[in-house]
Amino acid sequence: TVGREDVQQLGALRLKSSRSNIPSHLRSMSMSCSDKLVRWGVLGLGGALLSMYIPNPIVLSSICVSKDPRAVDGNADLGQLDALRRAIKKRIESALMSIAEKEKGWTVKPPEVAVVTDVFENSKSSSEFRHDTKMNALAHNTPNNKGRVKKESVCGMSINWHQTIVQEAANAEVTIGATGLKRGKKPKCPTDVINTASRLSRYHFALRCGKRDPVSSKTETDGHYSSYRKYKQITSTHLLTRVATLALSGGGPLAGWVRSSSQDDFELPHE
């Protein structure tokens, strides 16, 4: 289901960005944020490569969000909380119930969800609320609705760091949210993209895993793993593979999940 195409559909999987004015061939094949949270709540945060070192699923115990100033549901914020429960917790519970019928060994509990009373002033919802408030005031006070209100832009950068004695890893890394690349000179060729990729990227994580676990990173054909997808298929545990198949291809809330295409795969260098 493509979200926001015609009508909102509760519980439907959505692609982002799913604006109807974007041609279908230019739309992202990435699932929406709430869908990803549901998947992580069912399968864990780790994924295939990390399961080599941490076999048990890493799950969230709770999810807290700030109050949305646009929500109109009284002082208790029950409307926003109900929507959060319906979109996250109840869908995770439903998926886990369908998995438990066929896979008894998967013991995962859904996270608790909560809405805190404080408003995160730098959030997208707060920014849109301030803009709409100014626009309404301008339309009320300005004859013929003339005038403009400058729209706020949320910060497009993120920072990551690691608490460690290794100085290189401890240094903060600033990345551009839209691309996932390190802040700095714009890449001009594919090689530049690899050199500017964040240390949190799948590419660098796969390289680190290959160096620490050279045995499972080999294939029978050429002695090396040739792509990221093949590497994941080799290293993924049988239990995780079975559970992921049940969750994404069964009849639960994650059925119909858009899997990564060949365009989302990439080659890994030979050692």
Side-chain angles (χ1 to χ4, degrees):
T1 299
V2 179
R4 302 187 186 91
E5 190 66 53
D6 294 312
V7 294
Q8 294 283 356
Q9 298 182 35
L10 295 180
L13 295 175
R14 300 179 185 275
L15 300 175
K16 62 176 187 180
S17 162
S18 50
R19 286 165 27 202
S20 59
N21 62 335
I22 298 179
S24 58
H25 66 283
L26 295 179
R27 289 175 180 165
S28 167
M29 297 304 290
S30 178
M31 305 303 293
S32 68
C33 298
S34 61
D35 292 337
K36 290 178 180 178
L37 285 172
V38 173
R39 173 171 174 158
W40 292 334
V42 175
L43 302 179
L45 300 167
L49 298 187
L50 195 58
S51 67
M52 291 190 295
Y53 311 103
I54 307 177
N56 295 326
I58 305 170
V59 295
L60 298 172
S61 60
S62 62
I63 299 175
C64 298
V65 301
S66 66
K67 178 182 177 181
D68 190 335
R70 302 169 300 178
V72 183
D73 42 38
N75 296 328
D77 303 311
L78 295 179
Q80 186 180 356
L81 181 58
D82 286 343
L84 188 63
R85 286 172 176 162
R86 182 182 63 245
I88 306 296
K89 185 176 181 178
K90 290 184 178 179
R91 286 205 292 167
I92 293 176
E93 289 175 339
S94 177
L96 290 175
M97 288 179 60
S98 63
I99 292 173
E101 296 176 356
K102 298 181 179 180
E103 197 62 60
K104 304 296 183 181
W106 196 254
T107 55
V108 172
K109 295 182 179 180
E112 296 296 328
V113 295
V115 177
V116 298
T117 55
D118 293 336
V119 175
F120 180 42
E121 297 297 340
N122 294 325
S123 67
K124 181 180 179 180
S125 60
S126 296
S127 174
E128 292 177 347
F129 177 74
R130 287 192 295 269
H131 179 266
D132 294 342
T133 301
K134 293 177 182 178
M135 287 291 292
N136 293 334
L138 184 66
H140 180 73
N141 299 324
T142 304
N144 300 324
N145 294 334
K146 292 182 179 180
R148 298 181 61 184
V149 176
K150 187 176 180 180
K151 194 169 185 178
E152 298 179 13
S153 297
V154 296
C155 180
M157 293 182 292
S158 62
I159 303 175
N160 72 78
W161 68 93
H162 181 56
Q163 187 173 347
T164 176
I165 60 175
V166 181
Q167 185 60 38
E168 182 180 354
N171 293 333
E173 180 186 72
V174 182
T175 58
I176 308 300
T179 61
L181 301 178
K182 292 183 289 188
R183 185 180 64 176
K185 187 177 180 181
K186 292 184 178 180
K188 296 182 179 180
C189 63
T191 305
D192 293 339
V193 173
I194 294 177
N195 293 333
T196 57
S198 170
R199 60 190 174 194
L200 301 181
S201 65
R202 295 174 300 166
Y203 177 80
H204 284 297
F205 184 62
L207 292 184
R208 290 195 296 270
C209 289
K211 291 179 180 179
R212 296 183 180 277
D213 190 24
V215 176
S216 65
S217 66
K218 309 298 182 182
T219 65
E220 297 180 357
T221 55
D222 56 6
H224 296 83
Y225 52 91
S226 57
S227 72
Y228 176 73
R229 175 179 291 180
K230 290 182 178 180
Y231 189 18
K232 289 203 303 179
Q233 292 173 346
I234 294 171
T235 57
S236 180
T237 63
H238 295 297
L239 177 60
L240 178 60
T241 301
R242 293 198 305 269
V243 172
T245 301
L246 288 173
L248 306 182
S249 303
L254 292 177
W257 185 277
V258 179
R259 295 177 179 269
S260 300
S261 64
S262 58
Q263 296 177 347
D264 197 41
D265 194 15
F266 51 86
E267 293 185 357
L268 294 173
H270 290 184
E271 292 290 335

